[in-house]
Amino acid sequence: LVLVPLAFSAWVYLPITHVYFWADDFINLTDLVARDRLDFLLRPDGGHNLVVWRAVCLIAYTLFGFRAEPHYWLILATHLLNVALLFVVVRSLTGSALLGCLGATLWGTSPLAAGTLAWYSVYGQVLAAFLLLVVLAQVTHRGAAAGPPSARAAWGWSGCMLLASLCFGIGIGMAMVFPVMFFLLRPNAWTRGVRIAPLVLPLVTVALYIGLRRLYFSMAPMTLVEALQFWFMRASLGGVPRVLAELLGFSVATSVRSFAMAPGTYPDVASMATVAGFAVAGALALVHGEPDLRRAMFAMLVLALGMYAVIAVARASFYVIFHLDPAALVTWTRYHYAGTIPIVVLLCLVAEQAARLSHRAAAVRAFALAAATVVGVVGFARSGFAIEDQQAARMSVATAWRRCVRTSSRSRPERQSISRTASCRLP
Amino acid sequence: MRADVIAQPPGTTVYLENGVLPFTVTGPMINQELLPGRAALFVLVAPSGVLDGRSVRFIEPDPKVLAYDDRAPKLRALLVPREAATGPGVVHGR
């Protein structure tokens, strides 16, 4: 069954392999070639510590150079790996491969992923989601639930979460709430040797975040943007609850409605009804559900709050200082790649609780999957969904290079080499 | 212009107008200080600043862009003020 979400996700997101670099991508690539390695790796950007993402970029650049296509194939491959991992997680939590298929398909094909998958600069979020899903797949593994995990496993999972915090800012949210999520999913892990690693993880995450920034800015000047970032954050804390609520609302509405929701319509009546329905069903399942599902639901709720709280803190200034409508701000789809993982898992857990209340549980699960598939396929076909492939940027870059090379180089091999590197034809 | 360049022996320094990258490349949040014109693209394919045996430099007229203190070192080396683009053996291009 895992092939179903993989096939649908590949169908929707195969076009990202034609996307070109854009905006921040050029700054990152310029930094990669024009700074020394340590400077590039440690360099924070926009409040993110990106050591792991930058290390992956460095390896990818060494392998693929400046051609965009292989980089986007790598992003697609990572996304498909994430889809498969989410299938495993949902199947473990619900005990149902059908619901695993539903959750992985819904998330893997979600139009919300486009903003992240089609922009190389945000690949760190895909990597952070990968690390989260690797950990979740192991923590929720049914066969391992009989006894407490080993201390070694707990250190390994906590280490993965620490690495996630160095992929992208949202990874900090994952790491900060990991202890709560972990002990909800594996209550038997509250043993003397096992609990140390998860409990110290938030402290280590904060210390590493501050320490790496201090280290870098002791070697290089702090840019105005980086300096203002934290001033803006502190000045905008009052707006965090409103932005957080809008982030969660948009995440729920778009995750559930997927391609049946027209872009730019949030917050419409249908979205509000979807959010209200999701909240009521979730609350009922949390109060009256079976213990294993309730614990998993609380864990996903905590995870969603942790990830979206980081985004809300970082972006509340757009609302408080720059007076952007929060309902519009939260529709920037690149904020939602990792954040929608717990939302979709929650939906599957609610569906599983509904199935268990029925005398025909298998039929309920199959109906949920069939209905979601039909609505998704029809919605996708009617949506006119298209990925911005940045071909205008490719043309502009080709023009700029053509001028440089025409003026300064007469060597045919050199021109051909640059042409290959730049994925464009030079005269 | 191309003929002029080709006529120069290797070792010549070629000066090009840096220009401003279009919105289609930079997007709405990136300005000339952060991504300084054609030099920012050129450094990707020739980080050493040498192409076909000729040094290439980019004439950046804005002093604020030249003085930007967080510039990557190899990119900084490619940017020059207009008054630096003089001397024998220098070839200018647009």
Side-chain angles (χ1 to χ4, degrees):
Chain A
L1 270 176
V2 73
L3 293 177
V4 174
L6 285 175
F8 277 125
S9 304
W11 180 35
V12 172
Y13 281 110
L14 190 62
I16 69 162
T17 55
H18 302 297
V19 174
Y20 195 63
F21 300 119
W22 184 67
D24 297 52
D25 296 342
F26 292 107
I27 292 182
N28 289 320
L29 288 165
T30 302
D31 283 339
L32 192 151
V33 298
R35 294 180 187 275
D36 68 49
R37 293 283 152 86
L38 190 65
D39 183 351
F40 173 72
L41 286 171
L42 294 178
R43 188 173 169 74
D45 187 17
H48 304 271
N49 273 1
L50 301 165
V51 179
V52 173
W53 173 71
R54 288 188 188 279
V56 172
C57 277
L58 204 53
I59 295 165
Y61 183 82
T62 308
L63 292 171
F64 312 135
F66 190 60
R67 292 182 58 228
E69 288 81 1
H71 292 279
Y72 280 98
W73 274 105
L74 180 65
I75 294 175
L76 180 64
T78 315
H79 178 58
L80 294 179
L81 211 52
N82 287 346
V83 169
L85 286 165
L86 184 61
F87 172 87
V88 173
V89 170
V90 177
R91 187 186 58 185
S92 297
L93 287 173
T94 62
S96 163
L98 287 174
L99 289 179
C101 185
L102 168 68
T105 306
L106 206 54
W107 182 76
T109 60
S110 171
L112 282 179
T116 303
L117 297 177
W119 196 10
Y120 190 55
S121 291
V122 202
Y123 179 43
Q125 190 179 171
V126 185
L127 290 172
F130 168 71
L131 289 166
L132 171 71
L133 287 164
V134 165
V135 171
L136 278 177
Q138 293 182 50
V139 169
T140 61
H141 188 248
R142 291 225 147 199
S150 66
R152 193 174 166 181
W155 280 104
W157 297 331
S158 301
C160 280
M161 291 290 87
L162 192 63
L163 291 178
S165 77
L166 299 175
C167 287
F168 212 68
I170 201 165
I172 297 169
M174 297 173 189
M176 296 302 283
V177 299
F178 179 69
V180 180
M181 182 180 75
F182 176 63
F183 292 117
L184 279 166
L185 291 171
R186 294 289 291 271
N188 58 8
W190 188 257
T191 61
R192 196 171 174 149
V194 179
R195 65 186 173 213
I196 298 170
L199 288 178
V200 298
L201 176 64
L203 293 174
V204 175
T205 302
V206 172
L208 192 63
Y209 180 81
I210 295 170
L212 282 173
R213 292 180 69 83
R214 288 208 171 159
L215 175 66
Y216 184 80
F217 291 122
S218 69
M219 301 185 298
M222 184 182 277
T223 59
L224 187 63
V225 175
E226 286 295 324
L228 285 176
Q229 185 92 19
F230 287 90
W231 185 86
F232 283 154
M233 274 187 212
R234 279 196 294 273
S236 311
L237 287 176
V240 168
R242 171 78 198 278
V243 176
L244 178 59
E246 292 285 1
L247 280 165
L248 287 167
F250 180 73
S251 177
V252 167
T254 317
S255 294
V256 175
R257 295 178 67 198
S258 191
F259 288 106
M261 179 173 167
T265 54
Y266 181 84
D268 55 347
V269 175
S271 294
M272 291 300 105
T274 306
V275 173
F278 185 89
V280 170
L284 284 172
L286 276 172
V287 175
H288 300 293
E290 295 180 19
D292 60 329
L293 295 180
R294 286 171 61 193
R295 278 201 311 274
M297 278 188 266
F298 273 118
M300 291 303 121
L301 203 57
V302 167
L303 179 59
L305 283 171
M307 285 195 276
Y308 278 121
V310 169
I311 301 172
V313 168
R315 289 292 173 258
S317 60
F318 284 51
Y319 163 49
V320 175
I321 296 173
F322 302 110
H323 305 296
L324 225 65
D325 179 7
L329 167 67
V330 301
T331 60
W332 294 354
T333 54
R334 68 176 183 274
Y335 297 153
H336 296 278
Y337 183 82
T340 47
I341 290 172
I343 300 295
V344 167
V345 177
L346 261 172
L347 183 71
C348 294
L349 290 165
V350 171
E352 172 61 15
Q353 183 56 62
R356 288 187 192 179
L357 291 174
S358 159
H359 295 298
R360 302 179 68 182
V364 171
R365 294 180 193 117
F367 174 76
L369 175 60
T373 305
V374 170
V375 171
V377 170
V378 172
F380 179 66
R382 294 173 60 177
S383 67
F385 178 72
I387 287 170
E388 173 56 63
D389 58 10
Q390 310 299 355
Q391 292 311 307
R394 189 192 293 268
M395 297 294 290
S396 299
V397 169
T399 304
W401 266 321
R402 197 172 289 134
R403 283 186 184 157
C404 296
V405 174
R406 188 185 288 158
T407 314
S408 56
S409 174
R410 60 177 173 168
S411 151
R412 186 179 168 81
E414 186 140 35
R415 289 212 305 274
Q416 284 175 341
S417 161
I418 291 171
S419 184
R420 271 198 306 277
T421 308
S423 320
C424 61
R425 279 192 163 190
L426 296 172
Chain B
M1 180 58 67
R2 189 177 177 194
D4 287 347
V5 174
I6 290 170
Q8 300 303 315
T12 306
T13 301
V14 179
Y15 290 90
L16 304 172
E17 293 294 338
N18 194 30
V20 177
L21 293 174
F23 183 83
T24 50
V25 173
T26 62
M29 305 296 282
I30 292 173
N31 58 21
Q32 181 77 353
E33 282 181 46
L34 291 170
L35 203 61
R38 283 193 271 164
L41 299 180
F42 184 80
V43 78
L44 296 173
V45 288
S48 63
V50 177
L51 194 65
D52 197 20
R54 293 157 176 81
S55 293
V56 182
R57 295 294 180 267
F58 293 83
I59 300 166
E60 173 53 57
D62 186 344
K64 265 172 56 185
V65 174
L66 288 168
Y68 184 65
D69 62 356
D70 190 37
R71 178 84 61 235
K74 288 177 187 169
L75 180 54
R76 182 187 296 280
L78 296 182
L79 296 168
V80 294
R82 188 169 301 283
E83 54 270 25
T86 54
V90 162
V91 178
H92 288 265
R94 290 186 63 77

